[in-house]
Amino acid sequence: MKPQEFVEYILGKQNVIPWEIRIVMSTIPSNDDIIRNNAARIIHAILRDVYKIPDIRDENLLQEALKLKDLYDCRSCVTSIKQVYSRGIMKARYEISGNTETCRIFGGREKFELSDVDWEMPIVGVNIRQSPEKYL
């Protein structure tokens, strides 16, 4: 799935994609299939800029995301991954259980699949597949 198709899947086909989302999309290769890091960036931008859902600021709520072993592999993606992971929208791609702890890997450079997203996850009472006009 290409970035444009992903945005249209979430927001529906619109004549005008909000400029905040276009800015994020301008940094993503448009002809390549989207990877998980970039999907997290797009979802985060839509939540923040279209639906006006504020970022989680409570460090206690962000602690689990900080345990992702590959969180800092993409410095420009860190905030977005922390937000979507902490909200339960996207999960770790791999969980490897050891004797004392579980190693979680987000897998940000891997190809994104629609099944990577929990589309039913309630976000402050918002269904992200709802018509965004309600939130503009």
Side-chain angles (χ1 to χ4, degrees), residues 51-66:
Y51 294 110
K52 307 299 184 206
I53 295 173
D55 282 351
I56 296 171
R57 301 267 185 228
D58 185 340
E59 289 299 319
N60 292 326
L61 296 175
L62 298 170
Q63 284 303 310
E64 284 303 309
L66 296 175

Side-chain angles (χ1 to χ4, degrees), residues 4 17 49 76-78 84 89 98 103 105 108-109 112 119 122-123:
Q4 178 76 27
I17 293 176
D49 300 323
S76 65
C77 307
V78 171
V84 299
I89 297 168
C103 174
I105 300 171
R109 293 190 176 138
F112 171 76
W119 296 108
I123 305 165

Side-chain angles (χ1 to χ4, degrees), residues 23-41:
I23 290 171
V24 171
M25 289 177 59
S26 72
T27 65
I28 299 170
S30 61
N31 294 326
D32 295 342
D33 284 333
I34 194 167
I35 59 174
R36 288 173 50 89
N37 282 345
N38 290 332
R41 291 176 61 218

Side-chain angles (χ1 to χ4, degrees), residues 35-125:
I35 59 174
R36 288 173 50 89
N37 282 345
N38 290 332
R41 291 176 61 218
I42 290 170
I43 292 169
H44 178 227
I46 288 171
L47 291 174
R48 183 190 62 224
D49 300 323
V50 175
Y51 294 110
K52 307 299 184 206
I53 295 173
D55 282 351
I56 296 171
R57 301 267 185 228
D58 185 340
E59 289 299 319
N60 292 326
L61 296 175
L62 298 170
Q63 284 303 310
E64 284 303 309
L66 296 175
K67 295 178 183 176
L68 292 167
K69 298 297 182 193
D70 58 345
L71 177 63
Y72 293 98
D73 286 359
C74 172
R75 298 274 181 201
S76 65
C77 307
V78 171
T79 300
S80 297
I81 292 170
K82 286 181 0 183
Q83 292 296 317
V84 299
Y85 184 82
S86 296
R87 292 180 188 279
I89 297 168
M90 290 181 76
K91 306 235 183 291
R93 172 67 58 97
Y94 304 104
E95 292 192 12
I96 304 162
S97 296
N99 291 337
T100 58
E101 72 176 56
T102 299
C103 174
R104 290 182 177 84
I105 300 171
F106 187 72
R109 293 190 176 138
E110 295 185 18
K111 184 178 173 186
F112 171 76
E113 303 290 337
L114 286 175
S115 60
D116 290 338
V117 174
D118 183 353
W119 296 108
E120 301 301 319
M121 178 50 116
I123 305 165
V124 193

